[in-house]
Amino acid sequence: MAAESFDNRESGRMDKARQQVRRSAKRSNVIFESLQKEIMLGQLPPGTAILELELANRFECSQSTVREALMFLQTDGLVERLHHRGTFVADSRLEDARELILIRHDIECRGVRRVLNRFGPLLRKELEADLNGMRAAAKDDDEYQLSLHDRNFHLNLYNAADMPTVRPILRRCLIHNHRFKILNSEPNRGLMETAERHVAILDALTDGVEANAVQALSHHITTIVDFGPSILSGEARAGGAGK
């Protein structure tokens, strides 16, 4: 009987501990998403110092929960954690933006053949749902929500390439492409146009012609921000990306 009571108490403590871990994880995710939005929209400009104690008070949580959220942001390259100096919002520079556009271009365009091998009605339906999410966000003048659906569109598409080791690199490129665009354009500028730009990608994938799908993605990616005609260093790069 005593053993049974001990087991029950121990089980209760373990359940409570698991619940606390789940609550902490959920809370840190809320903090992460809130700070990501503020950083992406420029409400927390590059170079802004982020104080753990202030965030703990703001979100009514422990500093360890805040620290976990900041680690997620650091993984995405949105903050820099400097030893003995603190945590700061990362810069968003032209040079970095150009390089990330090129990396993203190569990842997505080189993956087209693998995507087409798995492209079908189910994936098209998922992508159309992302597109409709973009359209709804555009109607609401919600640039951040549009960005979330836009990034999800491209990540869902790349899932079909079945390259999970590369996917986090693409995710980071998408985050910083969108951040740079938002920080360097007028608020809510051309949001519906941004959404509708994805229709050409869907149509090219549905047609199933690799060269056309590569071209549609290439044009889409390289015209997100106007870097000029030399962004791909010549037409050969765009034409060879899908080979």
Side-chain angles (χ1 to χ4, degrees), residues 88-172:
F88 301 86
V89 176
D91 205 350
S92 181
R93 304 183 307 171
L94 174 64
E95 295 85 356
D96 293 315
R98 283 179 58 92
E99 197 63 29
L100 289 168
I101 284 281
L102 292 173
I103 294 170
R104 174 190 170 185
H105 178 272
D106 283 354
I107 289 174
E108 292 200 70
C109 290
R110 289 169 67 90
V112 165
R113 179 175 298 175
R114 295 174 63 90
V115 169
L116 285 175
N117 288 337
R118 297 168 176 83
F119 189 81
L122 182 59
L123 178 54
R124 173 155 185 129
K125 186 176 181 180
E126 291 179 0
L127 297 176
E128 286 175 342
D130 293 325
L131 174 56
N132 288 332
M134 285 185 253
R135 288 167 171 157
K139 288 179 181 178
D140 292 339
D141 289 331
D142 191 334
E143 192 164 20
Y144 182 70
Q145 280 298 317
L146 190 148
S147 170
L148 288 176
H149 289 295
D150 191 331
R151 286 180 268 154
N152 204 51
F153 177 98
H154 289 274
L155 289 172
N156 277 338
L157 177 59
Y158 195 72
N159 282 343
D162 192 26
M163 300 186 75
T165 306
V166 181
R167 189 180 185 276
I169 301 172
L170 175 59
R171 180 178 182 275
R172 185 160 176 164

Side-chain angles (χ1 to χ4, degrees), residues 9-226:
R9 288 196 300 271
E10 184 65 19
S11 177
R13 283 195 292 268
M14 291 176 65
D15 288 343
K16 185 176 181 181
R18 282 193 289 265
Q19 289 172 3
Q20 288 174 339
V21 169
R22 286 195 293 267
R23 282 197 297 269
S24 175
K26 184 176 181 180
R27 195 64 177 161
S28 64
N29 193 55
V30 169
I31 298 168
F32 162 73
E33 291 176 351
S34 295
L35 294 179
Q36 185 195 67
K37 179 178 180 179
E38 292 171 16
I39 292 171
M40 293 284 289
L41 294 179
Q43 296 166 357
L44 286 174
T48 301
I50 296 179
L51 303 178
E52 291 181 6
L53 183 58
E54 286 186 1
L55 289 176
N57 291 333
R58 171 184 167 185
F59 290 99
E60 299 180 343
C61 64
S62 68
Q63 284 185 250
S64 62
T65 301
V66 169
R67 206 168 293 126
E68 185 177 352
L70 294 179
M71 288 175 62
F72 296 152
L73 289 168
Q74 184 180 29
T75 299
D76 285 342
L78 291 174
V79 301
E80 293 181 297
R81 308 190 73 192
L82 305 178
H83 192 53
H84 294 313
R85 290 185 56 192
T87 302
F88 301 86
V89 176
D91 205 350
S92 181
R93 304 183 307 171
L94 174 64
E95 295 85 356
D96 293 315
R98 283 179 58 92
E99 197 63 29
L100 289 168
I101 284 281
L102 292 173
I103 294 170
R104 174 190 170 185
H105 178 272
D106 283 354
I107 289 174
E108 292 200 70
C109 290
R110 289 169 67 90
V112 165
R113 179 175 298 175
R114 295 174 63 90
V115 169
L116 285 175
N117 288 337
R118 297 168 176 83
F119 189 81
L122 182 59
L123 178 54
R124 173 155 185 129
K125 186 176 181 180
E126 291 179 0
L127 297 176
E128 286 175 342
D130 293 325
L131 174 56
N132 288 332
M134 285 185 253
R135 288 167 171 157
K139 288 179 181 178
D140 292 339
D141 289 331
D142 191 334
E143 192 164 20
Y144 182 70
Q145 280 298 317
L146 190 148
S147 170
L148 288 176
H149 289 295
D150 191 331
R151 286 180 268 154
N152 204 51
F153 177 98
H154 289 274
L155 289 172
N156 277 338
L157 177 59
Y158 195 72
N159 282 343
D162 192 26
M163 300 186 75
T165 306
V166 181
R167 189 180 185 276
I169 301 172
L170 175 59
R171 180 178 182 275
R172 185 160 176 164
C173 289
L174 287 165
I175 288 170
H176 290 277
N177 289 169
H178 282 241
R179 183 187 179 208
F180 184 85
K181 178 183 179 181
I182 291 170
L183 294 180
N184 292 277
S185 63
E186 297 177 9
N188 302 330
R189 177 181 172 185
L191 296 189
M192 189 58 73
E193 179 185 354
T194 297
E196 295 301 331
R197 279 164 42 87
H198 294 78
V199 173
I201 299 173
L202 272 175
D203 289 345
L205 290 168
T206 302
D207 290 342
V209 179
E210 183 181 349
N212 293 344
V214 169
Q215 184 58 39
L217 266 172
S218 177
H219 176 75
H220 178 89
I221 294 166
T222 56
T223 55
I224 291 171
V225 180
D226 184 11

